[in-house]
Amino acid sequence: MTLIATLKPETKIDTHTCYHCGQPADREFIAFQDHIFCCKGCQTVYDILSSSNLGQYYCLNENPGVNRKESTPAEYFGFLDDTNVRSKMIVFSDAKRTRVVLQIPLIHCSSCIWLLEALYKLHPGIIKSQINFLKREATIDFDENKISLRELVELLSKIGYEPEFNFASLNKKAVSNPMKAYYMKLGVSFFCFGNIMLASFPEYLGLDATLEASNHRLFGFLNLGLALPVLLFSAQDFFVSAWNGLKQRFLNIDVPIVLGILVMFFRSLYEILSQTGAGYFDTMASLVFLMLVGRMFQNKSYNRISFEHDFRSYFPISAMINIDGNWRSMPVSEVKTGDRLLIRNMELIPADSILVRGDANIDYSFVTGEQTPVRHENGAMIFAGGRQMGSSLEVEVVKPVSQSYLTQLWNSDIFKTKTSRDTTALANHISHYYFTPVILLISFMAMGYWMIFDPTRALSAFTSVLIITCPCALALSSPFTLGNIVRILGKHGFYLKNANVVELINQTDALVFDKTGTLTKPDAAHVEFIGEPFTEHENVLVKSLSRHSVHPLSRRVFDSLPQAELIETEDYSEKSGAGISGKADGHDIILGSEKFAAGTLEHRTEKGESCVFLSIDGKMRGYFSIRTAYRDGFSKLLHGLKSRYDMYLLSGDNESEKVNLLHYFREGDKMHFKQSPAAKLQFISELNSKGLRPMMIGDGLNDAGALQEAAVGVAISENINHFSPACDAILDARKFEKLDKFLMLSRYGVKVMQGSFLISFCYNIVGMYFAVQGTMSPLFAAVIMPVSSVTVILFTTLASNLAARRIGLHD
Amino acid sequence: MSAIVVLIAVSLVVAVGFLAAFLWSVRDGQFEDDYTPSVRVLFDDTVADEEGEKR
């Protein structure tokens, strides 16, 4: 019985959670139709849904909704009325039907799917809607005569599913999924492979001698007919890749593959036309099929996670422009020099402008890395990329959007030329330096030998060598091993952009960490009040005062104080570098540095701690001790890594944390503070030019340049479905402490791959023994090549799974 | 001789039929989303749903 009693308080009592969004509804809850709601927004959504007979939404999952406390004002979507924007958004349109594809990142459960696919019940103008859950995407068909695009988006926003719009989503062209063409190639090659095998059966079973000559020819031509689609359609990618390699004077792995395919095809063609043999079409088709399967493993990516977000994704796509005295929402591309813009709280400034009116408190962390917002006076220059924190601003644009400082910064070459990393892949490296030259040498030697001793066998020996050494197993080793590693890592919260990243990780020898948001938790800090505990009244006073400031320390203090009914404050003033003061309920409150709040300097601040002192009515009350909250397990992780890697720290912040981090980074000169995004990029370039292969681990847009420049860029993300800057890998923030295991598994993966290369070489040597003698039969080739491939696949899959288990990353 | 030719022709026609069906399904986008349909199939059809369908 006691057990039950202790368990009970933990079970959720649902009278205190919002029926719509599931958030605690403590103070200002709204009771409506037997349910509790945390805010007006949630209740409205419930009202809309229940009156439209969509109550089932709440039955599929408990509290499925999205919190509606902060809703977007309706006029925000004004830019959707713009014909230019509309035409970019719409996929297809005719008189009755318009189709639009919207990104809705808030889709999170089956209720969402159900509701969004039942949209037609909410508005007669909506014909059909279909959700792709993994992509968080809604494809909606609607009748533009009954509902406009803007109204549609407003409706979605009203029920809590606000679509996401940004500069990049507007400018992307509807690209057909590359996987489609790929699946088709795979299907065709499988079909041809199977049927060629079937037609080759008489030969496998030794029945060909008993066959009539006409049947013999029939099977030959049938095989030829089936081999053509394989050569011309399915194998296309290999030809393209080999050609690209040759153009760069690089013999990548596809060069010997294409050589093998071509030799097989033409030798078989000759044999069939001249009636001298059955040809190698079966081997060719099975090879192409197997390698396409390998490609699938290599290219299998997480389509719900985007690795390609560039800075434009962060850019707003609309701005409120003052036209003839009215504020109108317009696309950012329409912003011209001299326009008046309205910038609201948390909005990015799209172009360099002059402040006309309002309290500018600009957070330039996207540009400079510094987190503390900067105050600006009227008439001051505000740069693009800054984010307004606080009340609305009115600014006048002085430079067009495209010429702004930020755009210039991010337009640097790094973001344009994605360096080709083909040459670094181990399989390609082996092919270029060893494999291709060696097989060419052997095949010519075999031909030369037989030219002297038995010229009739010369051509046969030459082609046999090229056929049997066609590096199918070699080419399959890396996609299967690395693909499996990518899959295991993905299961544990480390998402790689593609399989090649595993090899890149293996080559890294330096780790560069960002501090804020990477080593530390972005929104959490240990805040502790040292002094006599607060009364409830004092809590209200301090919380009300600290609410007005956007300084990070004030925000921390505000967030740490318990919920309270806030009151008005008078005579509020903020002194930069000192603190804030004001009057609330007749009490004078000062919050700030010791000198500012108490006029004395007695307290010794411990290392790694920031103090905010509080005085009420001139009496010292105590101080808030604020410590940066590092991620769980960060200390153990860094200790483990520092013995194996060269470690660096790049932070946009000041040096206050330097002492805390010193022993992880060994020397002080490996830690760099007050780094702007451009400086971070520069630093990585310097490491590159020193011959190091750095891995950059960062989180925000201010790391974007460094993430691109580094050999491997890892973006750390609290929510992998939210976008992160362009990078090679995304690390789920909750799995941060496992980073060393992830790196270790990548290393093992490359070892496994090397092992499988050895196996495939052994098969090649055996095959070569027969090939150089000019006595290889087509059946031998048809058996040994798939067998070698299957062995390699089995080996890599088992070995990489075993490696993962040993490290402690269970499947 | 003729029997085997007929059989091969028939088997090829059947196989081509399956290939065509596969290519069609790929073009149609059946492999684009392999998660949502698994959820969708579990939703109950309500009476209101059927009315909506008729519309």
Side-chain angles (χ1 to χ4, degrees), chain A residues 302 304-305 307 485-496 714-721 729-739 741-742 745 809-810:
Chain A
Y302 306 93
R304 70 205 156 107
I305 309 173
F307 293 92
I485 298 284
V486 169
R487 190 185 60 81
I488 296 170
L489 290 177
K491 252 187 182 164
H492 289 89
F494 190 42
Y495 304 91
L496 304 189
V714 178
I716 191 158
S717 175
E718 301 296 319
N719 181 346
I720 51 154
N721 296 318
I730 295 177
L731 174 62
D732 186 337
R734 285 163 298 174
K735 303 294 165 63
F736 178 71
E737 55 189 320
K738 284 190 178 168
L739 183 65
K741 290 187 175 173
F742 297 149
L745 183 61
L809 296 173
H810 287 276

Side-chain angles (χ1 to χ4, degrees), chain A residues 199 220 421 496 610 659-660 694 750 767:
Chain A
R421 283 158 170 176
L496 304 189
S610 308
V659 276
N660 273 347
V750 174

Side-chain angles (χ1 to χ4, degrees), chain A residues 263 267 280 459-469 767 770-772 774-776:
Chain A
V263 166
R267 179 167 167 180
Y280 296 86
L459 208 59
S460 161
F462 176 71
T463 50
S464 296
V465 172
L466 288 181
I467 290 171
I468 204 74
T469 55
F770 292 99
V772 289
T775 55
M776 186 181 72

Side-chain angles (χ1 to χ4, degrees), chain A residues 24-43:
Chain A
D26 333 319
R27 269 168 198 275
E28 314 152 3
F29 69 84
I30 301 166
F32 181 74
Q33 292 185 355
D34 302 338
H35 300 299
I36 301 270
F37 297 93
C38 65
C39 58
K40 186 81 188 141
C42 290
Q43 185 241 319

Side-chain angles (χ1 to χ4, degrees), chain A residues 419-538:
Chain A
T419 42
S420 164
R421 283 158 170 176
D422 260 13
T423 51
T424 58
L426 189 58
N428 287 334
H429 184 88
I430 290 179
S431 165
H432 179 70
Y433 292 100
Y434 310 101
F435 193 82
T436 314
V438 167
I439 60 158
L440 283 175
L441 188 72
I442 293 178
S443 55
F444 278 109
M445 272 166 55
M447 184 160 76
Y449 176 85
W450 289 114
M451 282 289 213
I452 300 163
F453 296 100
D454 183 1
T456 54
R457 280 205 208 174
L459 208 59
S460 161
F462 176 71
T463 50
S464 296
V465 172
L466 288 181
I467 290 171
I468 204 74
T469 55
C470 184
C472 176
L474 186 68
L476 284 174
S477 321
S478 53
F480 274 97
T481 322
L482 304 183
N484 197 29
I485 298 284
V486 169
R487 190 185 60 81
I488 296 170
L489 290 177
K491 252 187 182 164
H492 289 89
F494 190 42
Y495 304 91
L496 304 189
K497 183 163 135 191
N498 56 42
N500 294 341
V501 179
V502 178
E503 287 189 61
L504 295 174
I505 291 176
N506 178 52
Q507 290 159 1
T508 52
D509 42 22
L511 297 182
V512 185
F513 288 93
D514 168 52
K515 185 176 73 76
T516 320
T518 302
L519 293 181
T520 64
K521 293 180 187 167
D523 295 319
H526 290 299
V527 182
E528 197 184 346
F529 185 72
I530 315 286
E532 230 173 278
F534 278 2
T535 63
E536 196 160 320
H537 183 237
E538 282 172 328

Side-chain angles (χ1 to χ4, degrees), chain A residues 164-205:
Chain A
E164 182 182 86
F165 298 100
N166 55 48
F167 218 72
S169 72
L170 210 59
N171 289 324
K172 74 164 180 225
K173 280 278 150 271
V175 279
S176 68
N177 190 347
M179 289 309 269
K180 263 190 188 178
Y182 176 77
Y183 285 136
M184 288 195 184
K185 284 173 188 158
L186 192 69
V188 167
S189 71
F190 182 64
F191 164 79
C192 295
F193 157 59
N195 284 289
I196 292 175
M197 282 283 234
L198 211 62
S200 305
F201 250 91
E203 195 201 338
Y204 292 163
L205 301 174

